[in-house]
Amino acid sequence: METGTAAGSGGSTGEPDTAPGWTGLPRGVLTMRRMLLVVWLVPLAVALGVLLGLFAGPVWAAFAALPLALAAWGWELLARNWRSWKYAERADDLLISRGVLWREETIVPYGRMQLVEVTSGPVERYFGLAGVQLHTAAAATDARIPGLDPKEAERLRDRLTELGEARSAGL
């Protein structure tokens, strides 16, 4: 996966900022999240239908369609959320953008990074994904990029660590 970078650094040099080269999350993240949605809501719908059918009657068993409707609605919401996640490596900082209704953009200066780690839980490993967790001095500015290809996560960790060490050496 290619990662674009901005040509100019902008900022204090007086140069105008160029648009960052955004990188989105791999499609495997969407697949993983949709599978989790189905794994939780379809058995719930079946159990609800059976229990309502046995104890309240077949008319009430129709309420089992509610979790299925929620799954159908969540299917599209997960796609919109997946498309909203992106990150960009710039000359002096890392941008992370996410959110559909409430857009959130985090800017993490390389010199402020204290720890960059690659994490991967059992479900992420099953789908061949890993996340990058960024820790800074201020707990409120910790950031993460979920669901990357493990090689991209390691590359990003190594690059951010290298840039962080280079930028913090001047402090």
Side-chain angles (χ1 to χ4, degrees):
M1 176 183 308
E2 290 290 321
T3 303
T5 56
S9 62
S12 62
T13 62
E15 298 175 18
D17 284 337
T18 59
W22 292 104
T23 303
L25 298 183
R27 190 152 186 90
V29 177
L30 178 60
T31 303
M32 177 188 72
R33 290 178 179 173
R34 282 179 167 173
M35 293 313 295
L36 288 172
L37 179 76
V38 168
V39 163
W40 283 102
L41 290 179
V42 169
L44 176 65
V46 171
L48 188 61
V50 168
L51 290 173
L52 286 174
L54 287 174
F55 295 113
V59 174
W60 288 96
F63 280 102
L66 290 176
L68 296 177
L70 183 63
W73 182 55
W75 192 269
E76 180 55 32
L77 287 181
L78 287 172
R80 291 181 63 200
N81 180 269
W82 168 72
R83 284 190 300 269
S84 76
W85 276 88
K86 55 191 172 206
Y87 65 96
E89 299 173 59
R90 296 195 308 181
D92 296 320
D93 50 33
L94 177 73
L95 300 177
I96 302 171
S97 180
R98 65 194 166 278
V100 177
L101 293 176
W102 286 272
R103 298 283 308 152
E104 191 172 326
E105 194 165 288
T106 304
I107 302 172
V108 184
Y110 297 133
R112 301 293 181 178
M113 291 183 201
Q114 292 185 329
L115 174 68
V116 181
E117 61 184 345
V118 175
T119 60
S120 185
V123 175
E124 287 176 312
R125 281 194 307 273
Y126 179 80
F127 284 94
L129 301 170
V132 174
Q133 180 76 37
L134 309 165
H135 299 279
T136 62
T141 59
D142 287 358
R144 69 182 180 92
I145 304 172
L148 297 173
D149 177 69
K151 289 189 187 313
E152 171 64 8
E154 291 172 8
R155 184 207 62 82
L156 191 58
R157 177 201 57 207
D158 294 344
R159 176 160 166 72
L160 295 176
T161 302
E162 177 185 312
L163 289 168
E165 289 172 356
R167 299 296 193 277
S168 67
L171 295 178

